[in-house]
Amino acid sequence: METDEAMRVLPFQLQFDKPVASQIKIAEWNPEKDLLAMATEDSKILLHRFNWQRLWTISPGKSVTSLCWRPDGKAIAVGLEDGTITLHDVENGKLLRSLKSHTVAVVCLNWEEDAQPSKNDFGNIPTYEDRTSRFFPPAPRIPQMPGLVSGDTGFTDDSEDSFRELANSSHQRFSILCSGDKDGSICFNIFGIFPIGKINIHKFHVAIPNADEQGTCRLLNASIYKVALSKDLFHLTVLCSGQLSQEELGGHGMHGLHCLVLDTSIFSKRKDELYQVALQASNIEDLTEVIRESLTVMCKQWTDATHTFREKFDSLSTLIVDNGLDSSPQEEFLSLLGGARTSPPIHQFLANSLGEAGVKRVSKAVCGAGKELQLIVLNHLQPAAEIIGFRMGELRGLSRWRARFHGIGLDEKLINNATENSGMFLVQVERFMRVLSSVVQQFSNFFNWLLKCIKLLMQEPSDQLPRYNSELVVIFLKFLYDQDPVRQLLEPSEVDHDVDVDLETMQRVRDLVNFGGFSDCNYLRRTLLKEFQLLESSFKEAFLMPFTTISTKILCEDFLPLFPLPSSPTSVFIPMSVSYYKGISQPHQASDHDFIDYVSFQVPNEPFSDIANCIGILRGFMHDMSSIKKGYTSLEAVLLSVPSGYHCVDLSLYKEGQIVLLLNEACTSSDSGEACMMIVRTSDLPFVSVSRSPYLDHWELHQLKDSVFYLQMGNAKVRIIPHSVVAPLAVSASRGVASVYATRKRALVYILEEDEDEVSDTE
């Protein structure tokens, strides 16, 4: 028990103090459950329950740079140093999807879902029914690669529903995953899996408020720190650093921390259309992954089987040469089939090298692989292709509704092309099945004949053996013995390989084209793999149009320089936080929406020595541009002076209009001294209106120095921590939980008591 605090009410009660193997650098609480996800300095991701029970640990293999939970808490997004975003299942950490949206480190993630269902002109909430389940069973899974242990494929195991949970977006609310990288790019993904836009803040031209004659400004060498999408999806607040540039006046302004508000209203205004397109497109992408992996598994299985065949039968060529003959293996087999005397190499091969056991082993390998390929096609590849065809038909219908869907980039011509390619792929699947069935039948017939021959050579009874067809044996020896049409249709090749088609068949195809229905005359010349590549290419082209269209409609609405930074930025951590709250009234609020933005940041001591050791809080910035046009400003701000002897380590906005501060005692040694955690209600703070500067300079922080709010240990919710701490400060708004991490690699988790009358010191 801390006796020095016995007379004071403690709002934060210590839940536990646990050691950790490596320093925690990122931490995020699950929005729906008492789960804490953490990224460590040694590139691991840990998930713990509130009682510190570890659920799982994963190692992405690359440094983790950001974490973010899906709003329903069922998946977590992980940003990596190479620009990859991975989605993992909350239950077991399994990889659900990997997105390569960026080329450099993903430094921030924000996943927000639509908070307000839209209504049509009649006051009803429009709903979209995914009709696929009416006509098809559940979507097929990715087949397992032979020889792999369950869980080694990169996607989820067959025994789990995680992949299907992610793929089936029809039951999810419309959500957007925003990601920002250190080079100033921001990407948007619907449901976290369907890319719908990308912007770069370097390319924005921003008008300077109250200075129309001065033109616009741009940011150079920008790096993003935080992004936060409003709960109504209308705005995106971005905290970034960069150097201001105004070409009309010449030269460059300051390098500093800036706040941008982007107009993302396209997500809210057209969310019904985007939802429908994203639902179809994201499921098509999942199904193409099923097809791709199916083709990979099929190619490997067939290659392994034919390698077994070649390994055994190539020895016959060696025996023929050793016996001084110049015939081919096919000629020797045909002589044996025609009733001629058995040649020495054939006799030696059948009786000694191959034998009855060898024939059965090779037959099992080849014919067994053929049956496995047929099962993969029937259970995985063909159902996936059929569902893709149905979904493309749905998209084709949507694309013809130009009034609604042309505005988001759904192009009818591109969708029609992708629809035709999906139909052609189904034709190729049927063709492959016929080729595969014929090849397997002829292999089986050939092996039955060999067994008959071996029995005769060994003078053993052969009445119980399956019958064989001599004509099929001849066809096999002439056309299949040293050729492989199945592998030709499956195997990838750097050089495009055309399948030979006779002139009569090609003329019939051209005649069919003249009747309409399709426009491709050369599909019979393509392999199954080539057809799939064309299908994928047409999908990418069709879905690139909505991506490009939406990207052009995301514009910078307002820009606010916050404070200067060194021209050569260091890796110094700047505590900052962005959040949107609902139902907070402001005078002259110039918006029909109920969400107000709050931006908090630590003010640097240089060049603001007269207001050093302060926390700045802005609110109402996302409405400020429209307010200025009406002659008033809605931007309000306040400075919080950190108690003397302490400095801010980290901060986080908590619940509706509250801020949690993590403060360290100012001392020379990082391991000595004490720390404290403090919560402040923004409703108690003296916000003042802020005037905007018309020049490329920071907004006047100095104008707030006469109204600084001095934080006191005695008039705020404070908890003393008996040792210094480091970031991160993770706060759960739904559970009233905060966690901090000590420099000595110990994790501390506190519960925030909302009712102060019931708070007691339990230590």
Side-chain angles (χ1 to χ4, degrees), residues 16-318:
F16 56 74
D17 179 354
K18 298 288 185 179
V20 290
S22 180
Q23 184 63 49
I24 306 295
K25 64 177 183 178
I26 309 171
E28 292 289 342
W29 285 100
N30 187 299
E32 295 294 329
K33 304 175 183 178
D34 288 328
L35 299 174
L36 179 64
M38 298 165 287
T40 63
E41 292 287 354
D42 57 353
S43 302
K44 292 182 180 179
I45 303 174
L46 318 175
L47 186 71
H48 282 265
R49 292 190 187 276
F50 182 64
N51 61 4
W52 205 243
Q53 174 193 4
R54 183 179 296 185
L55 295 184
W56 47 257
T57 301
I58 58 174
S59 299
K62 299 179 179 65
S63 178
V64 179
T65 51
S66 52
L67 292 176
C68 178
W69 285 99
R70 198 167 78 177
D72 62 5
K74 294 181 179 180
I76 187 169
V78 179
L80 302 177
E81 63 177 348
D82 66 344
T84 302
I85 299 174
T86 58
L87 306 184
H88 298 266
D89 183 16
V90 67
E91 296 295 335
N92 47 32
K94 282 291 182 180
L95 177 66
L96 303 176
R97 179 67 66 85
S98 180
L99 306 170
K100 195 67 169 71
S101 302
H102 301 267
T103 57
V104 294
V106 181
V107 295
C108 56
L109 293 165
N110 177 244
W111 204 334
E112 195 64 60
E113 69 179 6
D114 178 34
Q116 295 180 337
S118 60
K119 295 184 178 181
N120 57 23
D121 297 337
F122 302 100
N124 300 319
I125 297 176
T127 58
Y128 173 75
E129 180 189 6
D130 183 12
R131 304 186 304 159
T132 312
S133 58
R134 290 189 190 180
F135 306 99
F136 297 95
R141 292 186 179 276
I142 293 177
Q144 291 281 353
M145 182 69 76
L148 287 184
V149 178
S150 181
D152 290 343
T153 59
F155 277 78
T156 56
D157 297 337
D158 287 342
S159 60
E160 299 168 357
D161 293 326
S162 304
F163 179 73
R164 186 170 297 170
E165 169 73 17
L166 185 74
N168 183 17
S169 305
S170 59
H171 66 282
Q172 297 181 25
R173 298 181 68 173
F174 184 74
S175 65
I176 302 288
L177 174 62
C178 305
S179 56
D181 64 35
K182 66 177 184 179
D183 282 353
S185 293
I186 302 175
C187 296
F188 304 88
N189 294 276
I190 299 178
F191 306 130
I193 57 178
F194 178 61
I196 197 58
K198 184 175 184 178
I199 58 172
N200 193 298
I201 59 177
H202 299 109
K203 299 180 180 179
F204 283 130
H205 289 76
V206 187
I208 303 300
N210 298 326
D212 293 338
E213 71 281 358
Q214 292 189 14
T216 59
C217 70
R218 291 180 60 190
L219 270 179
L220 303 178
N221 303 318
S223 182
I224 297 174
Y225 292 105
K226 295 277 187 180
V227 292
L229 192 63
S230 64
K231 298 183 184 301
D232 56 7
L233 309 183
F234 266 76
H235 298 92
L236 180 74
T237 300
V238 182
L239 288 178
C240 61
S241 65
Q243 186 175 18
L244 293 174
S245 170
Q246 191 171 12
E247 298 177 358
E248 291 84 352
L249 297 180
H252 301 306
M254 72 168 188
H255 182 278
L257 186 71
H258 313 289
C259 186
L260 281 71
V261 172
L262 307 185
D263 180 4
T264 57
S265 58
I266 184 68
F267 293 137
S268 183
K269 293 177 180 177
R270 307 305 294 273
K271 63 187 175 187
D272 295 326
E273 294 87 346
L274 290 171
Y275 178 92
Q276 295 176 49
V277 172
L279 171 65
Q280 303 291 359
S282 60
N283 276 270
I284 286 173
E285 186 172 345
D286 293 328
L287 293 168
T288 56
E289 185 67 31
V290 173
I291 294 176
R292 182 185 299 106
E293 291 300 317
S294 296
L295 292 174
T296 301
V297 173
M298 291 162 61
C299 183
K300 183 175 188 310
Q301 283 190 300
W302 187 254
T303 301
D304 291 346
T306 54
H307 176 73
T308 302
F309 173 79
R310 292 261 63 93
E311 194 175 38
K312 274 293 183 184
F313 281 78
D314 282 350
S315 62
L316 177 58
S317 299
T318 304

Side-chain angles (χ1 to χ4, degrees), residues 312-369:
K312 274 293 183 184
F313 281 78
D314 282 350
S315 62
L316 177 58
S317 299
T318 304
L319 291 173
I320 293 174
V321 174
D322 292 343
N323 282 272
L325 302 177
D326 58 358
S327 58
S328 66
Q330 294 96 315
E331 291 172 341
E332 292 295 328
F333 279 126
L334 287 173
S335 297
L336 179 63
L337 179 66
R341 184 175 64 85
T342 305
S343 65
I346 282 288
H347 188 282
Q348 185 178 354
F349 174 72
L350 293 179
N352 301 327
S353 299
L354 186 61
E356 182 180 350
V359 172
K360 291 181 178 179
R361 185 166 57 252
V362 176
S363 176
K364 180 179 179 181
V366 176
C367 298

